[in-house]
């Protein structure tokens, strides 16, 4: 039916910050478990890389529920965007045994700004 992730604060965080939020769900059928993952992924030209930094699990969640989470953000990798590739941070929630998935993206930055790689470099 629906699942959402709410992050507390601005969508830009610094290494070492606590990322706090909540997952809310209303499921049509029972889920085996609900995983909440802190991860990063690359997108663009070439192979997609993914790194799961931390996870938490809700075993046999009720059909209607909410779970708060707190993750300590690592020092790296920092968010960046370039002509050929970007690196994005996100929290995702997966209700196993259903089709429900939710994701909330954010940036990890030392100075509050996303790193922008030079766009005038040759491909």
């Amino acid at each position: 039916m629906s699942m959402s992730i709410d992050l507390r604060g601005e969508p830009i965080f610094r290494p070492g910050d606590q990322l706090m939020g909540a997952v809310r769900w209303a499921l049509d059928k029972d889920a085996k478990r609900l995983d909440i993952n802190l991860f990063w992924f690359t997108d663009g030209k070439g192979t997609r890389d993914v790194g799961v930094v931390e996870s938490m699990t809700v075993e046999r969640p009720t059909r209607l529920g909410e779970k708060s989470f707190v993750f300590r953000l690592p020092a790296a990798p920092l968010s960046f965007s370039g002509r050929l590739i970007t690196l994005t941070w996100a929290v995702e929630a997966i209700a196993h045994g259903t089709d429900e998935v939710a994701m909330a993206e954010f940036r990890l930055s030392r100075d509050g700004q996303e790193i922008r790689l030079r766009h005038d470099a040759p491909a």
Side-chain angles (χ1 to χ4, degrees):
M1 190 173 195
S2 72
M3 189 161 49
S4 65
I5 300 173
D6 296 315
L7 300 179
R8 271 199 225 149
E10 297 296 320
I12 301 174
F13 297 90
R14 297 178 192 278
D17 282 353
Q18 284 189 333
L19 177 69
M20 295 183 280
V23 177
R24 292 177 182 85
W25 63 88
L27 305 173
D28 287 335
K29 60 183 183 176
D30 293 336
K32 297 173 188 168
R33 72 179 193 273
L34 181 94
D35 289 334
I36 304 169
N37 302 311
L38 170 66
F39 74 109
W40 57 265
F41 62 94
T42 60
D43 199 22
K45 193 168 185 162
T47 305
R48 182 177 215 177
D49 292 317
V50 176
V52 176
V53 174
E54 194 173 343
S55 295
M56 57 188 303
T57 299
V58 178
E59 296 290 345
R60 295 179 301 282
T62 58
R63 288 192 183 187
L64 180 64
E66 178 177 329
K67 177 67 175 173
S68 296
F69 59 83
V70 177
F71 294 119
R72 176 74 62 187
L73 296 174
L78 299 176
S79 300
F80 66 84
S81 64
R83 197 165 122 215
L84 300 178
I85 192 167
T86 61
L87 186 140
T88 304
W89 279 89
V91 174
E92 73 176 347
I94 303 168
H96 295 274
T98 76
D99 294 330
E100 294 296 330
V101 176
M103 187 168 79
E105 296 180 0
F106 65 94
R107 289 189 297 253
L108 182 63
S109 169
R110 285 193 186 101
D111 61 4
Q113 300 295 317
E114 181 178 55
I115 297 169
R116 299 218 182 258
L117 303 179
R118 289 176 43 127
H119 290 282
D120 56 354

